[in-house]
Each structure stands twice: as structure tokens, then as C-alpha cells.
Amino acid sequence: MIVGIPKEIMHGENRVSAIPETVKKMVDGGAKVLFEKGAGVGSHYMDEAYAEAGAILVEDVAEIFARAEVILKVKEPLFNEAKNKHELDMMHAGQYLISFIHPASPSNHPMVKQMAEKGIIGLTLDGIPRISRAQAMDALSSMSACAGYKGMIMGINDISKFVPFVTSAVGRLKPATVLVIGAGVAGLRALATAKGLGAMVYATDIRPEANKNAESLGATIVETGVPSEIAVSPDGKHANQLPEKWLEVERENLRDIVSKSDIIFCSALIQGKVAPVLITEEMVKSMQPGSCIVDISIDQGGNCEITTPGEVEVKHGVTIQGIKNIPGMLSTSSTIMFSKNIYNLLVYLTKDGKINLDLSDEITSSILVTKDGEIVHEGTLEAMGLK
């Protein structure tokens, strides 16, 4: 099997999909690894280390896309300015792409349609189910931990206030108020980071168990008003996609704390589906001038109605962070985690030296986006209005 590792081309993206350790494992397992020169530099891994691990260093990324049977990437295919063509235009029918595709996000729908038209077999890492046997492949959780930590640091950097309670010569200055929406892996890491720096932290989640976790870290819980039987999947692990009437109930219960928050960290996601809009433009207008929203759910559409994907903008006096590759800002740690997750998935899917897709398997069926010229990902089809 020929595995291709291209350099990531998203602006500011310093991660890479393989480290020398995982390259060596692939080579020892019988694979040939084509590695674009310089792809690891942003994560502080040099070409020499990849060559020593057994990778074949390639100067022209077009050669990697042409020769490889499997492409391992961190981010979805993008337009390559250096080649003056889209990465998908360098790929071919029957080729496997394993990456964070985020296919349900409306901004990615044209790209997903093109993948299907070209006959590319897309496997998205954000679809890995939260089950025990998939834990070692769960890149979304790994990257969420990175995004939670770094995203909260970015929010703290954007506000012009002390975060902790401060006693000064002119009296006491109250701590910053932080609201964490979505108490999953990212939210809990963000919460712990803010709490550790002395902020007054609030958290909200439609899952009772997630709220218990947030409370254990010192957060004050803001109730959403959504009954657990509507909010949570039968197994109790996943948040359900809520009907609009219940989203409005949730938004109404958040209005007061939103208006008082200095930092709002948005990380509420529905697995494989478009992120719920929980902060409307009107709610943003109610916030204090100089406050900040960090919307890390933007890859799946965003929790804030007016977040611009990939941008940092000031709207109604509020800084809104829509950066799509926050883990890339923590490139060494995130690359170590990501590369091991994607390697474990590749091994799981490989039988007798080739990828073999068992569509009856929960992991495989959850991550499959395009196959045989068709879009097969349920959340994407729903988001496109095709199901």
C-alpha cells in the first residue's frame, strides 16, 4: 500500500498527519510512505528524521497525489496556490482520503460533492464514534483537548481585563466572567484553563452527565431547560440534534449569562451534523463591548450565528474568533496526538496490506463520506436537504 503524506496548506496550519514514529510503523508494516519535503517542519520534525524512518521524500506534492493509494491529511482538501489548482484536482478515482473533512458543514458541501464526482473514497475523522474500541482513533477528542486549552488562552488574550480577582491600590477588580457552552472534551479543558487562571466560570450543556463533569471542575451550571429525554441519545453518551423550538428554549435560558460574559467559549457539537446555533446576532449585541466569543465549533458551522469561518472579526463591539485550526497553534503536542490517532485508524481499516471497508462495522459506517461516486454520510445528506 502506498501512503501519501502531503504538507498542510491551510493558512497557519503547522500540523502534519504523520511523525517519524508512525512512518516507521507503516513502513515496518509493509507500506511505502511518500512524504512531501518540509511537511513536518511546522511541528518541528525535520525531513532527515522521516528519511531515517523509511519515508520516501518527494519534492512535488502532485507526485504524491498521483501515486498514493491512501492520502493522510489533517485538514480537508483546499486550493493549493503554489500549484494553482485544488488538491482534489490532483487526486483520482478509487483513492482513499482520511482527514478531518467536516462534511456536514455547509461551507464544505461543494468540496464533498466534488469528492463524490471524482470517485474519491472519503473517510472523515470527525465521525469516529465515542465507543471504547475507537478511543485510540478518536482524533476529534485529541484535537478538542488542544482547542479547548489554546482557544481559551486566545479568548483571554483578546479581552482587556484581568482574568482573576485582583486587589489593587484603587480597590478590588472583579474576575472575568467566562461561559463555556458545550462541556465535552474541549469545553472541559477550556473550563479548567479559565478556572485555573482565576476566572468566574459558568458552563452549560444539554447532557446532564456533561454538566456534572463541569460542576466538578468548579463551574456554575446554567440550565438549558431542555428535558434529558429530548436532549440525550438513548445510550446517554451523545447530544441529540434539537428541533428549533427546543433550541429557542435553550437560547432563551442563555440570554442573561451571555449578556454578562467577558468570554464565551463555544464548543457544542452534534456528532456528524451541523453545529446548533445557540448565540444569535441579537444576543451578541447584548454583550459588553470588548468581550470575546471563541467559536471552535466553526468547522461544523458554528454555535454563533455571525461567526465568520476562518476569521477573527469585531462585530457589535465583540471580538468573534472563527479560527478553524486552533490545534495547529499547538502544533507539536497536537501532531503527536493526531498522527497516532490516524495511524491507529489506518491499521484498523487495513486487511492484508490494503484498506478493506466493512460497512457493517460501526466505526467504518460512521466515518464514510463518499463511495462509488455517491455521498453516503447521513449527517451530510441531512444538511444538504437530501434526506
Side-chain angles (χ1 to χ4, degrees), residues 189-340:
R189 175 49 54 195
L191 191 161
T193 301
K195 190 69 177 178
L197 290 173
M200 185 182 297
V201 182
Y202 295 81
T204 186
D205 199 295
I206 59 175
R207 298 166 296 172
E209 190 64 34
N211 283 328
K212 288 181 183 178
N213 293 336
E215 194 170 27
S216 72
L217 291 175
T220 299
I221 303 304
V222 180
E223 297 295 339
T224 64
V226 181
S228 59
E229 61 269 21
I230 293 173
V232 186
S233 61
D235 61 8
K237 295 179 180 179
H238 304 294
N240 287 329
Q241 190 171 33
L242 298 180
E244 181 58 33
K245 69 175 184 178
W246 285 110
L247 283 175
E248 185 52 46
V249 169
E250 186 173 2
R251 287 191 285 261
E252 193 59 40
N253 280 287
L254 293 179
R255 286 183 192 278
D256 183 57
I257 187 62
V258 164
S259 68
K260 297 174 181 177
S261 296
D262 297 299
I263 300 171
I264 300 179
F265 185 88
C266 299
S267 60
L269 293 173
I270 309 298
Q271 190 174 37
K273 301 182 187 297
V274 176
V277 173
L278 301 176
I279 300 178
T280 64
E281 184 168 9
E282 287 302 311
M283 293 166 77
V284 174
K285 289 178 180 179
S286 76
M287 295 176 68
Q288 306 166 70
S291 53
C292 176
I293 295 172
V294 182
D295 195 350
I296 73 160
S297 66
I298 193 61
D299 275 320
Q300 288 178 223
N303 291 148
C304 176
E305 183 180 29
I306 58 174
T307 304
T308 301
E311 302 295 334
V312 179
E313 298 179 337
V314 178
K315 298 181 179 180
H316 309 300
V318 178
T319 299
I320 304 178
Q321 292 255 13
I323 299 300
K324 297 186 71 174
N325 59 332
I326 294 175
M329 299 176 178
L330 204 66
S331 61
T332 300
S333 295
S334 59
T335 286
I336 291 170
M337 299 163 77
F338 180 90
S339 62
K340 292 183 178 182

Side-chain angles (χ1 to χ4, degrees), residues 70-97:
V70 183
I71 296 292
L72 304 183
K73 272 179 55 59
V74 178
K75 300 300 291 184
E76 68 271 20
L78 300 167
F79 184 82
N80 188 319
E81 293 180 1
K83 303 297 292 184
N84 198 33
K85 61 175 64 175
H86 201 283
E87 288 179 311
L88 286 179
D89 291 330
M90 293 184 272
M91 297 181 69
H92 55 265
Q95 194 170 40
Y96 291 88
L97 170 67

Side-chain angles (χ1 to χ4, degrees), residues 76-78 100-115 298-300 324 380 384:
E76 68 271 20
L78 300 167
F100 277 122
I101 299 172
H102 297 292
S105 176
S107 63
N108 288 336
H109 289 174
M111 178 261 294
V112 172
K113 290 176 181 177
Q114 188 179 354
M115 284 173 56
I298 193 61
D299 275 320
Q300 288 178 223
K324 297 186 71 174
T380 305
M384 290 180 172

Side-chain angles (χ1 to χ4, degrees), residues 4-18 35-43 61 64-65 71-81 87 97-100 125 325 328 335 338 342:
I5 312 291
K7 183 177 181 179
E8 297 297 320
I9 58 174
M10 176 177 280
H11 177 68
E13 180 56 79
N14 291 314
R15 289 173 292 177
V16 64
S17 59
F35 187 87
E36 184 179 359
K37 287 184 178 180
V41 172
S43 298
V61 70
I64 293 177
F65 283 115
I71 296 292
L72 304 183
K73 272 179 55 59
V74 178
K75 300 300 291 184
E76 68 271 20
L78 300 167
F79 184 82
N80 188 319
E81 293 180 1
E87 288 179 311
L97 170 67
I98 305 178
S99 180
F100 277 122
L125 293 166
N325 59 332
T335 286
F338 180 90
I342 201 170

